[in-house]
Amino acid sequence: MKRDEGLLRRLRQGLRKTQGALIQRLEGLLLYPKIEEDLLDDLEELLVTADVGIATTTRILGKLQREFRQKGLSEPLRLREYLKEEMASILSQGLAKPLSPPCPSKPWIILFLGVNGSGKTTTIAKIAWRHQKEGKKVLLAAGDTFRAAAIEQLRTWGDRIGADVISHRPGADPSAVIFDAIQAAKARQVDLLLIDTAGRLHTKRNLMEELKKVKRVISREIHDAPHEVLLVLDATLGSNSLVQAREFHRALGITGLILAKLDGTAKGGALIGIVDELKIPVKYLGIGEGLDDLEEFEPESFAEALLIP
Ligand code: GDP
């Protein structure tokens, strides 16, 4: 109970930027005498401004009108609770299986994607740390060979948490690093192999081709791997993250999302549009730079933090 309250507080804190505007304007809508066209227009604008995205906003409003009509409801006061439940329901999609590796499949391989600066390396360290604490043997692979600093950064995290890191020199073929990492993971009886990848934005086509190759190499070595393909998104980006998620998903088939930097001046509304469009579950939220600043995603708490003062 205590932990949940703490989580809600931290989420509210993180979502301040989205929440402040949303709640204030929603309060205004609740003052309308009944649900009518003007109110729906304002609500549409409100959701789009909160980065929910046009397609999802239109869908939410259409459903709202149908359901309120069917049930003979017209008081705006019910709007907030309705929106909270609708957002939580959208965010619950696909949220069934936990991330922990099941016993028989060793190594369990997770491929991490995300543009530079999104929080990918930090998130990898947090997830490695969490599994190590559960007694799992974890290996890291420095697949972003494009930036020497990225290799260094992963090594530094590896040192801090006591996990081995497989890396090559800067400029090496990422697929070769991944190949070596998989062989090492097999030989060392590793439970979990976490693979960092490049995320340079300015050469998008090459990046996607490189990442597809990495994925192919993984599947060639272990036929049902990667077992997860997780996209790390920067929570401060807002609607840009939908564009990013679409592109990564189209090229690589994402199986889960992680929203990092939710503790800053985050804009969380975008997550609703992303999950609604791509039907990809959210696995974790990053709420700080420390190793323990990772929370499992809870749709209800997230929607509540977004809409309820
Ligand atoms: P990468 O380029 O995607 O690997 O991103 P990094 O992991 O290097 O993170 C970029 C910056 O964001 C670093 O300064 C991290 O400390 C910071 N960062 C990562 N995750 C979080 C988070 O959840 N909260 C905050 N406040 N900062 C974070």
Side-chain angles (χ1 to χ4, degrees), residues 158-185:
D159 286 345
R160 267 180 72 183
I161 62 176
D164 288 344
V165 180
I166 303 296
S167 62
H168 286 190
R169 60 184 161 67
D173 181 354
S175 296
V177 182
I178 305 315
F179 180 83
D180 281 358
I182 293 175
Q183 305 318 315

PDB file of all heavy atoms in Angstrom, residues 158-185:
ATOM      1  N   GLY A 158      28.634  -1.729 -16.168  1.00  0.00           N
ATOM      2  CA  GLY A 158      28.973  -3.132 -15.890  1.00  0.00           C
ATOM      3  C   GLY A 158      29.860  -3.240 -14.650  1.00  0.00           C
ATOM      4  O   GLY A 158      29.623  -4.069 -13.764  1.00  0.00           O
ATOM      5  N   ASP A 159      30.872  -2.370 -14.568  1.00  0.00           N
ATOM      6  CA  ASP A 159      31.767  -2.356 -13.395  1.00  0.00           C
ATOM      7  C   ASP A 159      30.981  -2.074 -12.119  1.00  0.00           C
ATOM      8  O   ASP A 159      31.187  -2.695 -11.094  1.00  0.00           O
ATOM      9  CB  ASP A 159      32.846  -1.267 -13.549  1.00  0.00           C
ATOM     10  CG  ASP A 159      33.901  -1.694 -14.566  1.00  0.00           C
ATOM     11  OD1 ASP A 159      33.931  -2.905 -14.897  1.00  0.00           O
ATOM     12  OD2 ASP A 159      34.667  -0.826 -15.019  1.00  0.00           O
ATOM     13  N   ARG A 160      30.109  -1.086 -12.226  1.00  0.00           N
ATOM     14  CA  ARG A 160      29.356  -0.680 -11.027  1.00  0.00           C
ATOM     15  C   ARG A 160      28.474  -1.787 -10.487  1.00  0.00           C
ATOM     16  O   ARG A 160      28.354  -1.970  -9.278  1.00  0.00           O
ATOM     17  CB  ARG A 160      28.466   0.533 -11.351  1.00  0.00           C
ATOM     18  CG  ARG A 160      29.160   1.840 -11.044  1.00  0.00           C
ATOM     19  CD  ARG A 160      28.290   3.015 -11.371  1.00  0.00           C
ATOM     20  NE  ARG A 160      27.186   3.200 -10.450  1.00  0.00           N
ATOM     21  CZ  ARG A 160      26.269   4.146 -10.584  1.00  0.00           C
ATOM     22  NH1 ARG A 160      26.341   4.983 -11.601  1.00  0.00           N
ATOM     23  NH2 ARG A 160      25.298   4.274  -9.709  1.00  0.00           N
ATOM     24  N   ILE A 161      27.844  -2.533 -11.394  1.00  0.00           N
ATOM     25  CA  ILE A 161      26.910  -3.563 -10.902  1.00  0.00           C
ATOM     26  C   ILE A 161      27.555  -4.946 -10.882  1.00  0.00           C
ATOM     27  O   ILE A 161      26.924  -5.916 -10.453  1.00  0.00           O
ATOM     28  CB  ILE A 161      25.606  -3.593 -11.741  1.00  0.00           C
ATOM     29  CG1 ILE A 161      25.897  -3.960 -13.206  1.00  0.00           C
ATOM     30  CG2 ILE A 161      24.886  -2.261 -11.669  1.00  0.00           C
ATOM     31  CD1 ILE A 161      24.643  -4.089 -14.039  1.00  0.00           C
ATOM     32  N   GLY A 162      28.789  -5.033 -11.355  1.00  0.00           N
ATOM     33  CA  GLY A 162      29.471  -6.322 -11.337  1.00  0.00           C
ATOM     34  C   GLY A 162      28.961  -7.283 -12.403  1.00  0.00           C
ATOM     35  O   GLY A 162      28.848  -8.488 -12.176  1.00  0.00           O
ATOM     36  N   ALA A 163      28.631  -6.743 -13.584  1.00  0.00           N
ATOM     37  CA  ALA A 163      28.207  -7.609 -14.699  1.00  0.00           C
ATOM     38  C   ALA A 163      29.261  -7.526 -15.805  1.00  0.00           C
ATOM     39  O   ALA A 163      29.805  -6.446 -16.061  1.00  0.00           O
ATOM     40  CB  ALA A 163      26.861  -7.143 -15.240  1.00  0.00           C
ATOM     41  N   ASP A 164      29.537  -8.664 -16.448  1.00  0.00           N
ATOM     42  CA  ASP A 164      30.489  -8.649 -17.562  1.00  0.00           C
ATOM     43  C   ASP A 164      29.871  -7.940 -18.768  1.00  0.00           C
ATOM     44  O   ASP A 164      28.657  -7.993 -18.986  1.00  0.00           O
ATOM     45  CB  ASP A 164      30.846 -10.078 -17.967  1.00  0.00           C
ATOM     46  CG  ASP A 164      31.728 -10.743 -16.919  1.00  0.00           C
ATOM     47  OD1 ASP A 164      32.292 -10.011 -16.080  1.00  0.00           O
ATOM     48  OD2 ASP A 164      31.827 -11.985 -16.930  1.00  0.00           O
ATOM     49  N   VAL A 165      30.763  -7.290 -19.539  1.00  0.00           N
ATOM     50  CA  VAL A 165      30.311  -6.597 -20.750  1.00  0.00           C
ATOM     51  C   VAL A 165      31.126  -7.119 -21.923  1.00  0.00           C
ATOM     52  O   VAL A 165      32.359  -7.125 -21.881  1.00  0.00           O
ATOM     53  CB  VAL A 165      30.531  -5.066 -20.625  1.00  0.00           C
ATOM     54  CG1 VAL A 165      30.069  -4.353 -21.894  1.00  0.00           C
ATOM     55  CG2 VAL A 165      29.803  -4.509 -19.403  1.00  0.00           C
ATOM     56  N   ILE A 166      30.450  -7.563 -22.973  1.00  0.00           N
ATOM     57  CA  ILE A 166      31.156  -7.964 -24.193  1.00  0.00           C
ATOM     58  C   ILE A 166      31.188  -6.757 -25.123  1.00  0.00           C
ATOM     59  O   ILE A 166      30.136  -6.196 -25.463  1.00  0.00           O
ATOM     60  CB  ILE A 166      30.431  -9.141 -24.897  1.00  0.00           C
ATOM     61  CG1 ILE A 166      30.293 -10.339 -23.948  1.00  0.00           C
ATOM     62  CG2 ILE A 166      31.155  -9.515 -26.196  1.00  0.00           C
ATOM     63  CD1 ILE A 166      31.593 -10.971 -23.500  1.00  0.00           C
ATOM     64  N   SER A 167      32.391  -6.353 -25.513  1.00  0.00           N
ATOM     65  CA  SER A 167      32.489  -5.183 -26.394  1.00  0.00           C
ATOM     66  C   SER A 167      33.631  -5.380 -27.388  1.00  0.00           C
ATOM     67  O   SER A 167      34.536  -6.174 -27.153  1.00  0.00           O
ATOM     68  CB  SER A 167      32.723  -3.916 -25.564  1.00  0.00           C
ATOM     69  OG  SER A 167      33.950  -4.024 -24.865  1.00  0.00           O
ATOM     70  N   HIS A 168      33.545  -4.664 -28.500  1.00  0.00           N
ATOM     71  CA  HIS A 168      34.646  -4.588 -29.465  1.00  0.00           C
ATOM     72  C   HIS A 168      35.106  -3.140 -29.513  1.00  0.00           C
ATOM     73  O   HIS A 168      34.552  -2.280 -28.827  1.00  0.00           O
ATOM     74  CB  HIS A 168      34.170  -5.021 -30.845  1.00  0.00           C
ATOM     75  CG  HIS A 168      33.965  -6.513 -30.967  1.00  0.00           C
ATOM     76  ND1 HIS A 168      33.727  -7.135 -32.165  1.00  0.00           N
ATOM     77  CD2 HIS A 168      33.940  -7.507 -30.039  1.00  0.00           C
ATOM     78  CE1 HIS A 168      33.570  -8.435 -31.978  1.00  0.00           C
ATOM     79  NE2 HIS A 168      33.691  -8.687 -30.693  1.00  0.00           N
ATOM     80  N   ARG A 169      36.065  -2.878 -30.381  1.00  0.00           N
ATOM     81  CA  ARG A 169      36.534  -1.486 -30.486  1.00  0.00           C
ATOM     82  C   ARG A 169      35.480  -0.640 -31.211  1.00  0.00           C
ATOM     83  O   ARG A 169      34.650  -1.183 -31.963  1.00  0.00           O
ATOM     84  CB  ARG A 169      37.873  -1.438 -31.218  1.00  0.00           C
ATOM     85  CG  ARG A 169      37.778  -1.986 -32.579  1.00  0.00           C
ATOM     86  CD  ARG A 169      39.058  -2.067 -33.358  1.00  0.00           C
ATOM     87  NE  ARG A 169      38.865  -3.021 -34.439  1.00  0.00           N
ATOM     88  CZ  ARG A 169      38.058  -2.856 -35.466  1.00  0.00           C
ATOM     89  NH1 ARG A 169      37.341  -1.760 -35.576  1.00  0.00           N
ATOM     90  NH2 ARG A 169      37.929  -3.782 -36.400  1.00  0.00           N
ATOM     91  N   PRO A 170      35.539   0.689 -31.028  1.00  0.00           N
ATOM     92  CA  PRO A 170      34.607   1.572 -31.743  1.00  0.00           C
ATOM     93  C   PRO A 170      34.737   1.375 -33.254  1.00  0.00           C
ATOM     94  O   PRO A 170      35.849   1.171 -33.762  1.00  0.00           O
ATOM     95  CB  PRO A 170      35.073   2.977 -31.349  1.00  0.00           C
ATOM     96  CG  PRO A 170      35.818   2.793 -30.063  1.00  0.00           C
ATOM     97  CD  PRO A 170      36.416   1.426 -30.106  1.00  0.00           C
ATOM     98  N   GLY A 171      33.622   1.391 -33.951  1.00  0.00           N
ATOM     99  CA  GLY A 171      33.647   1.228 -35.408  1.00  0.00           C
ATOM    100  C   GLY A 171      33.508  -0.216 -35.858  1.00  0.00           C
ATOM    101  O   GLY A 171      33.328  -0.494 -37.046  1.00  0.00           O
ATOM    102  N   ALA A 172      33.571  -1.160 -34.928  1.00  0.00           N
ATOM    103  CA  ALA A 172      33.442  -2.573 -35.298  1.00  0.00           C
ATOM    104  C   ALA A 172      32.003  -2.872 -35.744  1.00  0.00           C
ATOM    105  O   ALA A 172      31.092  -2.085 -35.481  1.00  0.00           O
ATOM    106  CB  ALA A 172      33.801  -3.443 -34.095  1.00  0.00           C
ATOM    107  N   ASP A 173      31.819  -4.012 -36.404  1.00  0.00           N
ATOM    108  CA  ASP A 173      30.481  -4.413 -36.849  1.00  0.00           C
ATOM    109  C   ASP A 173      29.659  -4.844 -35.619  1.00  0.00           C
ATOM    110  O   ASP A 173      30.046  -5.779 -34.914  1.00  0.00           O
ATOM    111  CB  ASP A 173      30.620  -5.574 -37.835  1.00  0.00           C
ATOM    112  CG  ASP A 173      29.270  -6.039 -38.362  1.00  0.00           C
ATOM    113  OD1 ASP A 173      28.230  -5.543 -37.877  1.00  0.00           O
ATOM    114  OD2 ASP A 173      29.261  -6.902 -39.258  1.00  0.00           O
ATOM    115  N   PRO A 174      28.538  -4.164 -35.357  1.00  0.00           N
ATOM    116  CA  PRO A 174      27.737  -4.520 -34.171  1.00  0.00           C
ATOM    117  C   PRO A 174      27.327  -5.997 -34.171  1.00  0.00           C
ATOM    118  O   PRO A 174      27.271  -6.630 -33.118  1.00  0.00           O
ATOM    119  CB  PRO A 174      26.494  -3.638 -34.295  1.00  0.00           C
ATOM    120  CG  PRO A 174      26.830  -2.591 -35.266  1.00  0.00           C
ATOM    121  CD  PRO A 174      27.938  -3.070 -36.127  1.00  0.00           C
ATOM    122  N   SER A 175      27.067  -6.542 -35.364  1.00  0.00           N
ATOM    123  CA  SER A 175      26.642  -7.950 -35.423  1.00  0.00           C
ATOM    124  C   SER A 175      27.730  -8.883 -34.903  1.00  0.00           C
ATOM    125  O   SER A 175      27.433  -9.928 -34.320  1.00  0.00           O
ATOM    126  CB  SER A 175      26.286  -8.333 -36.853  1.00  0.00           C
ATOM    127  OG  SER A 175      25.182  -7.586 -37.258  1.00  0.00           O
ATOM    128  N   ALA A 176      28.977  -8.488 -35.098  1.00  0.00           N
ATOM    129  CA  ALA A 176      30.085  -9.319 -34.605  1.00  0.00           C
ATOM    130  C   ALA A 176      30.120  -9.298 -33.076  1.00  0.00           C
ATOM    131  O   ALA A 176      30.380 -10.323 -32.435  1.00  0.00           O
ATOM    132  CB  ALA A 176      31.415  -8.815 -35.178  1.00  0.00           C
ATOM    133  N   VAL A 177      29.851  -8.139 -32.510  1.00  0.00           N
ATOM    134  CA  VAL A 177      29.797  -8.029 -31.041  1.00  0.00           C
ATOM    135  C   VAL A 177      28.693  -8.933 -30.503  1.00  0.00           C
ATOM    136  O   VAL A 177      28.883  -9.687 -29.544  1.00  0.00           O
ATOM    137  CB  VAL A 177      29.496  -6.570 -30.590  1.00  0.00           C
ATOM    138  CG1 VAL A 177      29.484  -6.459 -29.082  1.00  0.00           C
ATOM    139  CG2 VAL A 177      30.489  -5.604 -31.204  1.00  0.00           C
ATOM    140  N   ILE A 178      27.543  -8.866 -31.179  1.00  0.00           N
ATOM    141  CA  ILE A 178      26.377  -9.627 -30.708  1.00  0.00           C
ATOM    142  C   ILE A 178      26.664 -11.129 -30.822  1.00  0.00           C
ATOM    143  O   ILE A 178      26.341 -11.909 -29.925  1.00  0.00           O
ATOM    144  CB  ILE A 178      25.116  -9.263 -31.539  1.00  0.00           C
ATOM    145  CG1 ILE A 178      24.870  -7.754 -31.528  1.00  0.00           C
ATOM    146  CG2 ILE A 178      23.910 -10.037 -31.043  1.00  0.00           C
ATOM    147  CD1 ILE A 178      24.982  -7.059 -30.218  1.00  0.00           C
ATOM    148  N   PHE A 179      27.290 -11.516 -31.938  1.00  0.00           N
ATOM    149  CA  PHE A 179      27.636 -12.925 -32.120  1.00  0.00           C
ATOM    150  C   PHE A 179      28.526 -13.396 -30.961  1.00  0.00           C
ATOM    151  O   PHE A 179      28.258 -14.420 -30.333  1.00  0.00           O
ATOM    152  CB  PHE A 179      28.357 -13.108 -33.465  1.00  0.00           C
ATOM    153  CG  PHE A 179      28.757 -14.530 -33.721  1.00  0.00           C
ATOM    154  CD1 PHE A 179      27.847 -15.451 -34.243  1.00  0.00           C
ATOM    155  CD2 PHE A 179      30.047 -14.970 -33.412  1.00  0.00           C
ATOM    156  CE1 PHE A 179      28.208 -16.775 -34.455  1.00  0.00           C
ATOM    157  CE2 PHE A 179      30.415 -16.299 -33.619  1.00  0.00           C
ATOM    158  CZ  PHE A 179      29.492 -17.196 -34.145  1.00  0.00           C
ATOM    159  N   ASP A 180      29.562 -12.622 -30.672  1.00  0.00           N
ATOM    160  CA  ASP A 180      30.472 -12.973 -29.569  1.00  0.00           C
ATOM    161  C   ASP A 180      29.729 -13.025 -28.233  1.00  0.00           C
ATOM    162  O   ASP A 180      29.969 -13.907 -27.406  1.00  0.00           O
ATOM    163  CB  ASP A 180      31.597 -11.938 -29.446  1.00  0.00           C
ATOM    164  CG  ASP A 180      32.672 -12.167 -30.498  1.00  0.00           C
ATOM    165  OD1 ASP A 180      32.532 -13.150 -31.268  1.00  0.00           O
ATOM    166  OD2 ASP A 180      33.633 -11.374 -30.555  1.00  0.00           O
ATOM    167  N   ALA A 181      28.849 -12.058 -28.054  1.00  0.00           N
ATOM    168  CA  ALA A 181      28.120 -11.990 -26.773  1.00  0.00           C
ATOM    169  C   ALA A 181      27.250 -13.235 -26.593  1.00  0.00           C
ATOM    170  O   ALA A 181      27.161 -13.780 -25.488  1.00  0.00           O
ATOM    171  CB  ALA A 181      27.262 -10.723 -26.732  1.00  0.00           C
ATOM    172  N   ILE A 182      26.621 -13.681 -27.677  1.00  0.00           N
ATOM    173  CA  ILE A 182      25.758 -14.872 -27.565  1.00  0.00           C
ATOM    174  C   ILE A 182      26.603 -16.112 -27.259  1.00  0.00           C
ATOM    175  O   ILE A 182      26.231 -16.938 -26.408  1.00  0.00           O
ATOM    176  CB  ILE A 182      24.922 -15.066 -28.853  1.00  0.00           C
ATOM    177  CG1 ILE A 182      23.924 -13.901 -28.976  1.00  0.00           C
ATOM    178  CG2 ILE A 182      24.172 -16.397 -28.823  1.00  0.00           C
ATOM    179  CD1 ILE A 182      23.119 -13.889 -30.258  1.00  0.00           C
ATOM    180  N   GLN A 183      27.749 -16.215 -27.923  1.00  0.00           N
ATOM    181  CA  GLN A 183      28.622 -17.378 -27.630  1.00  0.00           C
ATOM    182  C   GLN A 183      29.062 -17.333 -26.164  1.00  0.00           C
ATOM    183  O   GLN A 183      29.046 -18.358 -25.472  1.00  0.00           O
ATOM    184  CB  GLN A 183      29.883 -17.394 -28.530  1.00  0.00           C
ATOM    185  CG  GLN A 183      29.606 -17.350 -30.038  1.00  0.00           C
ATOM    186  CD  GLN A 183      28.457 -18.245 -30.469  1.00  0.00           C
ATOM    187  OE1 GLN A 183      28.352 -19.409 -30.054  1.00  0.00           O
ATOM    188  NE2 GLN A 183      27.561 -17.706 -31.289  1.00  0.00           N
ATOM    189  N   ALA A 184      29.445 -16.153 -25.705  1.00  0.00           N
ATOM    190  CA  ALA A 184      29.879 -16.014 -24.302  1.00  0.00           C
ATOM    191  C   ALA A 184      28.736 -16.345 -23.352  1.00  0.00           C
ATOM    192  O   ALA A 184      28.924 -17.013 -22.331  1.00  0.00           O
ATOM    193  CB  ALA A 184      30.373 -14.582 -24.057  1.00  0.00           C
ATOM    194  N   ALA A 185      27.532 -15.877 -23.706  1.00  0.00           N
ATOM    195  CA  ALA A 185      26.373 -16.121 -22.832  1.00  0.00           C
ATOM    196  C   ALA A 185      26.106 -17.621 -22.717  1.00  0.00           C
ATOM    197  O   ALA A 185      25.790 -18.120 -21.635  1.00  0.00           O
ATOM    198  CB  ALA A 185      25.142 -15.399 -23.383  1.00  0.00           C
TER     199      ALA A 185
END
